[in-house]
């Protein structure tokens, strides 16, 4: 065990960061598969509440180790704002998962960094140059190719996912602000608290007492998703965004394999083409951000 730890510590930070992000993608794809399965019988709003309620429980040991000064340093207003927005997006994400293939949800979710670029301009005052504006436009074009408006009837789940993506993007930018002064686990923990509160009220109106199997599966989703978030945060801390971003897109491969093996789903050629355009646009934006940071 000590030998493995020393070998791991000897790897370059970028390599360790990539491996953490690859692991997070596999965890998220597994989480999506379970949500897809449970979503055939349970209301998506109820699922979103149970998932984050369990997630909040998994984060309790972390909160118990926090000092009073840690709580005082927390930006509760920003955590609450992020939690409210994220909670709305989560409910739409669970709705999308109950209606459209896993790979399509994943592909549309990749547009989130495109919207994060826009959010960074609005919230952080970052300047955006013409080349990045073209990349943003290209990413949005990729999303349109996935949806193919006019060529096919757009499923409400796809619309929900496309609305959720920019909200997740604003949430990510707020997380970036929070991690400047707070730890990654603290950011994940407070998110679990506020999203649980946001989803609790609508969940009451659609509540159906879950079966023992559903309770167990939802607890498992919360555990896997929490691990996925922690792995992703750790990866982003260790490696440059431009390095980890392409690795994040391996999640589409995992999602496609799981969707095909478990649910006989296979994305259309338009999903692949649109996802490729989105991936290229996001990778270019990540590259330009890394170049800009090196010149700061």
């Amino acid at each position: 065990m000590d030998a493995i730890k020393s070998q791991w510590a000897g790897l370059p930070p970028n390599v360790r960061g990539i491996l953490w992000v690859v692991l997070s993608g596999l965890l998220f794809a597994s989480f999506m598969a379970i949500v897809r399965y449970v979503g055939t019988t349970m209301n998506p709003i109820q699922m979103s509440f149970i998932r984050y309620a369990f997630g909040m429980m998994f984060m309790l040991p972390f909160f118990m180790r926090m000092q009073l000064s840690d709580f005082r340093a927390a930006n509760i207003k920003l955590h609450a704002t992020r939690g409210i927005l994220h909670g709305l997006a989560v409910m739409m994400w669970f709705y999308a998962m109950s209606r459209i293939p896993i790979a399509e949800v994943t592909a549309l979710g990749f547009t989130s960094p495109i919207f994060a670029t826009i959010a960074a301009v609005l919230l952080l005052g970052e300047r955006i140059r013409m080349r990045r504006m073209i990349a943003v436009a290209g990413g949005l074009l990729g999303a349109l190719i996935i949806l193919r408006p006019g060529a096919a009837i757009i499923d409400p789940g796809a619309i929900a996912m496309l609305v959720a993506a920019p909200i997740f993007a604003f949430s990510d930018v707020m997380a970036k602000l929070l991690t400047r002064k707070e730890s990654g686990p603290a950011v994940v923990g407070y998110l679990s608290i506020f999203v649980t509160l946001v989803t609790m009220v609508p969940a009451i109106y659609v509540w159906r007492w879950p079966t023992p199997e559903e309770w167990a599966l939802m607890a498992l989703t919360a555990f896997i998703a929490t691990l996925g978030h922690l792995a992703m945060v750790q990866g982003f801390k260790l490696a440059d965004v431009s390095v980890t971003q392409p690795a994040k897109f391996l999640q589409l491969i995992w999602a496609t394999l799981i969707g095909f093996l478990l649910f006989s789903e296979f994305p259309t050629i338009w999903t692949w083409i649109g996802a490729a355009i989105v991936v290229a646009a996001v990778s270019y934006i990540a590259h330009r951000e890394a170049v800009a940071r090196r010149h700061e």
Side-chain angles (χ1 to χ4, degrees):
M1 184 63 69
D2 291 336
I4 295 175
K5 287 183 179 180
S6 62
Q7 289 179 349
W8 174 259
L11 292 174
N14 278 342
V15 174
R16 282 183 286 154
I18 289 173
L19 292 175
W20 277 115
V21 172
V22 170
L23 175 62
S24 73
L26 180 57
L27 289 169
F28 284 135
S30 302
F31 155 68
M32 293 170 74
I34 301 173
V35 169
R36 179 73 170 173
Y37 174 75
V38 179
T40 59
T41 58
M42 186 182 292
N43 187 285
I45 294 178
Q46 182 178 348
M47 281 196 296
S48 62
F49 166 70
I50 295 175
R51 174 262 179 269
Y52 271 90
F54 274 118
M56 182 175 62
M57 292 171 59
F58 290 138
M59 294 302 295
L60 282 178
F62 166 77
F63 280 109
M64 293 176 66
R65 291 196 300 269
M66 289 178 64
Q67 303 294 323
L68 184 60
S69 58
D70 295 323
F71 287 103
R72 288 174 177 170
N75 189 336
I76 298 299
K77 288 184 179 179
L78 189 56
H79 280 296
T81 302
R82 183 184 179 228
I84 292 170
L85 291 175
H86 202 92
L88 295 174
V90 162
M91 287 186 282
M92 286 186 280
W93 183 90
F94 273 86
Y95 175 72
M97 278 298 303
S98 69
R99 294 195 57 96
I100 61 177
I102 296 174
E104 189 172 338
V105 174
T106 304
L108 289 173
F110 285 161
T111 61
S112 185
I114 302 291
F115 293 110
T117 301
I118 301 173
V121 174
L122 298 176
L123 297 181
L124 304 180
E126 293 184 3
R127 290 182 296 177
I128 180 171
R129 300 185 184 277
M130 182 57 67
R131 283 182 289 185
R132 271 204 273 178
M133 290 177 63
I134 294 173
V136 169
L140 296 177
L141 174 63
L144 288 176
I145 290 174
I146 296 171
L147 295 174
R148 290 185 298 148
I153 298 176
I154 302 177
D155 192 282
I159 296 174
M161 189 62 223
L162 198 59
V163 173
I167 300 178
F168 281 132
F170 274 83
S171 174
D172 288 344
V173 173
M174 284 186 275
K176 183 178 179 180
L177 286 171
L178 289 166
T179 52
R180 290 176 177 176
K181 295 184 179 180
E182 300 180 45
S183 68
V187 174
V188 175
Y190 279 113
L191 182 68
S192 297
I193 291 174
F194 284 107
V195 172
T196 300
L197 294 174
V198 169
T199 56
M200 180 173 61
V201 175
I204 292 174
Y205 286 96
V206 298
W207 186 265
R208 172 186 64 79
W209 197 257
T211 64
E213 180 191 20
E214 288 172 337
W215 276 120
L217 288 174
M218 290 309 299
L220 182 60
T221 61
F223 178 70
I224 293 175
T226 302
L227 287 181
H229 277 291
L230 292 173
M232 185 174 64
V233 169
Q234 185 64 21
F236 289 163
K237 279 194 169 187
L238 287 171
D240 297 331
V241 175
S242 59
V243 173
T244 58
Q245 199 65 57
K248 188 178 178 182
F249 295 120
L250 282 174
Q251 184 180 339
L252 181 60
I253 305 299
W254 308 137
T256 302
L257 288 173
I258 291 173
F260 177 72
L261 294 174
L262 299 184
F263 306 104
S264 299
E265 299 173 351
F266 195 78
T268 66
I269 185 63
W270 299 108
T271 300
W272 285 109
I273 293 173
I277 294 173
V278 172
V279 167
V282 173
S283 297
Y284 179 77
I285 290 172
H287 167 70
R288 293 306 306 171
E289 287 179 352
V291 170
R293 281 198 299 271
R294 284 198 296 266
H295 286 83
E296 286 179 353

